[in-house]
Amino acid sequence: MSGHGTPIKMTSRKCGPLTGIAEVPGDKSISHRALILGALSVGETRISGLLEGEDVLDTAKAMRAFGAEVTQHGPGEWSVHGVGVGGFAEPDQVIDCGNSGTGVRLIMGAMATSPIAATFTGDASLRKRPMGRVTDPIAMFGAQAYGRQGGKLPMTILGAADPVPVRYATPMASAQVKSAVLLAGLNAPGQTVVIEKTPTRDHTERMLRGFGAEISTEETAEGHVITLQGRPELVAQEVAVPRDPSSAAFPVCAALIVPGSEIVVPGVSQNPTRNGLFITLKEMGADITFENEREEGGEPVADLRVRYSELHGLEVPAARASAQIDEYPILSVVAAFATGVTRMPGVHELRVKESDRIDAMARGLEANGVKIEEDEDTLIVHGCGPQGVPGGAIAASHLDHRIAMSFMVLGMAAQEPVSVDDGSPIATSFPVFEDLMAGLGARIVRENG
Ligand code: S3P
């Protein structure tokens, strides 16, 4: 788990053109879901391309604690012998989800309609994050939650012995909340309905369908309505995890800001609930081409060819926020190199991620010579344009992998080196980040550790 060891200070220096092929790891969201749905199925689920980052490994451990047999066969190759819907055993240890909001929230949902108790905790970042957004809807199924003041971890959930199905309109745009409700709905009789105002990433719906659940989605005046028929028999599947667009974002954005670069990032998911960053970058003037568009593992994928580009700032539509919610930190780095102002409204959810990402990016960019404005819901970056980004400062990563990687990318094109106080959280989602970036030509060094 991140944040439990010695902090690793990292520094990134200006580099020559980035070139080559960047094979980024498997999608984090899909990896969590493959393990959880595998654990809730009957038979052996085979997973290839699983992200072996700390977040996902913590979910694998949790699935074992609930009674599934989870085995690694080789790099990215895993199998899960599931216990079936409603078959979770009561864990005899605390479930430590490390840094992972997705892990803890989805697993809480998945166990909430079984007559078992489980206690959840996480690292210092996860223990600060709101869990009420999941405990509220699972209480409607009949589950009870006992946590720290303000709905924080550590927290014990008593699953409902006699669950009832629910109809729930998510109060915030959150795929984690939607997924927790759907996973809880699996072991409730009748229909569970989730209504979202704006659609969020739909991997849970796609994968549930793939595992044999009856699930439908429709657009109505109320919003995006998802209906799940409870108590299906989920049947074990082969899951090929596509590469993670949120990890691809780092080499893609690095290539855009380091002069002379040209890279290819193959097999990146282009799921329309995840591809907002690539659309925004194109609108900023990015030279990105989408080659070999195809389907892999039930997701649309493409090979991305990316060349250094002179970019301009813009107003990023708030309606696109959920399709690029994890990409705002790296987008704000790209915006620092653009000409003109980039305004990013509708991003208040960034305040409750692994860190307060508006604050973390604003303070780190300011320290590195970039002018920033912010309010509760908006981040505004004044691009440095042709004068370039000064750099030369240390940014705090606040136990947040995406903040750490964003500042390492900043250092690749800033005039002076850029450091982060602790790069160890990078291992939660992109354990090969340093090697992969070095292979393209980046100059990142560990100052200790
Ligand atoms: C995720 C949903 C998003 C995202 C997170 C992964 C998921 O969180 O930020 O990294 O896998 O469902 P929210 O549901 O809080 O928006």
Side-chain angles (χ1 to χ4, degrees):
M1 278 153 292
S2 68
H4 292 223
T6 316
I8 302 171
K9 184 179 171 196
M10 287 184 187
T11 298
S12 173
R13 291 186 166 72
K14 196 172 184 136
C15 57
L18 300 173
T19 54
I21 297 175
E23 295 191 328
V24 303
D27 189 87
K28 182 151 72 74
S29 292
I30 296 175
S31 295
H32 283 292
R33 287 158 172 81
L35 290 169
I36 295 169
L37 288 191
L40 291 171
S41 301
V42 175
E44 185 189 64
T45 287
R46 300 289 297 203
I47 308 170
S48 58
L50 188 86
L51 167 65
E52 287 163 351
E54 289 170 353
D55 279 9
V56 174
L57 298 178
D58 285 331
T59 289
K61 224 185 286 168
M63 291 302 98
R64 288 191 190 110
F66 282 100
E69 209 179 288
V70 184
T71 313
Q72 184 188 21
H73 299 276
E77 301 291 325
W78 290 65
S79 66
V80 184
H81 274 275
V83 293
V85 168
F88 270 179
E90 187 163 276
D92 57 12
Q93 71 224 55
V94 170
I95 305 298
D96 188 340
C97 290
N99 193 247
S100 181
T102 307
V104 74
R105 292 182 176 130
L106 268 57
I107 297 167
M108 279 182 178
M111 59 76 57
T113 45
S114 291
I116 55 173
T119 299
F120 295 88
T121 192
D123 71 4
S125 154
L126 193 57
R127 291 198 306 272
K128 286 190 205 144
R129 298 180 66 187
M131 295 299 142
R133 52 181 57 199
V134 169
T135 56
D136 287 351
I138 66 175
M140 295 165 67
F141 286 96
Q144 295 167 58
Y146 303 91
R148 271 174 51 226
Q149 197 115 45
K152 305 279 167 73
L153 300 179
M155 182 174 273
T156 297
I157 308 287
L158 300 184
D162 226 345
V164 290
V166 311
R167 182 180 177 85
Y168 190 69
T170 53
M172 71 288 290
S174 169
Q176 292 176 0
V177 174
K178 167 178 67 179
S179 301
V181 175
L182 292 172
L183 292 172
L186 280 176
N187 199 35
Q191 287 186 340
T192 286
V193 179
V194 184
I195 303 141
E196 309 189 276
K197 272 199 213 85
T198 41
T200 59
R201 66 190 66 192
D202 62 356
H203 309 302
T204 303
E205 298 92 301
R206 285 175 188 250
M207 209 182 281
L208 276 170
R209 203 167 288 127
F211 275 76
E214 209 179 294
I215 182 165
S216 64
T217 54
E218 53 177 338
E219 301 305 326
T220 72
E222 273 185 297
H224 186 67
V225 179
I226 304 141
T227 305
L228 171 74
Q229 194 62 46
R231 305 238 161 111
E233 179 169 303
L234 298 183
V235 181
Q237 297 295 311
E238 307 242 321
V239 182
V241 180
R243 298 183 198 277
D244 195 326
S246 299
S247 296
F250 295 100
V252 165
C253 290
L256 288 174
I257 61 173
V258 175
S261 298
E262 176 168 350
I263 66 165
V264 173
V265 191
V268 178
S269 169
Q270 293 301 303
N271 181 318
T273 62
R274 293 290 298 282
N275 68 352
L277 175 76
F278 306 119
I279 297 170
T280 303
L281 292 172
K282 294 281 283 186
E283 289 174 359
M284 294 174 82
D287 181 350
I288 303 177
T289 49
F290 300 87
E291 300 175 354
N292 299 319
E293 289 175 306
R294 59 201 182 271
E295 182 137 320
E296 273 177 16
E299 297 270 335
V301 304
D303 302 337
L304 272 49
R305 182 175 296 277
V306 188
R307 297 184 183 89
Y308 166 77
S309 306
E310 283 174 17
L311 303 171
H312 54 83
L314 44 60
E315 164 107 10
V316 182
R320 198 180 290 154
S322 59
Q324 56 176 30
I325 193 66
D326 289 337
E327 282 63 78
Y328 283 98
I330 189 62
L331 177 59
S332 66
V333 166
V334 170
F337 289 91
T339 300
V341 175
T342 297
R343 223 178 142 262
M344 294 168 266
V347 295
H348 57 276
E349 272 293 307
L350 296 182
R351 298 218 178 260
V352 290
K353 295 293 178 189
E354 287 82 330
S355 67
D356 175 341
R357 287 181 170 163
I358 296 179
D359 187 67
M361 289 312 299
R363 301 295 79 77
L365 285 169
E366 275 169 355
N368 282 287
V370 183
K371 186 174 167 215
I372 300 293
E373 292 173 76
E374 68 181 283
D375 64 29
E376 191 50 31
D377 192 37
T378 313
L379 179 62
I380 300 170
V381 177
H382 292 255
C384 298
Q387 302 102 283
V389 174
I394 302 186
S397 65
H398 299 283
L399 286 181
D400 189 329
H401 53 133
R402 299 199 199 282
I403 301 299
M405 289 188 277
S406 295
F407 284 109
M408 291 297 88
V409 172
L410 185 82
M412 293 173 201
Q415 281 142 13
E416 297 297 327
V418 174
S419 301
V420 284
D421 61 344
D422 184 11
S424 66
I426 292 172
T428 61
S429 70
F430 200 160
V432 297
F433 175 76
E434 289 159 88
D435 285 347
L436 183 144
M437 294 309 306
L440 301 176
R443 297 165 64 210
I444 299 174
V445 293
R446 292 182 175 210
E447 308 279 343
N448 61 343

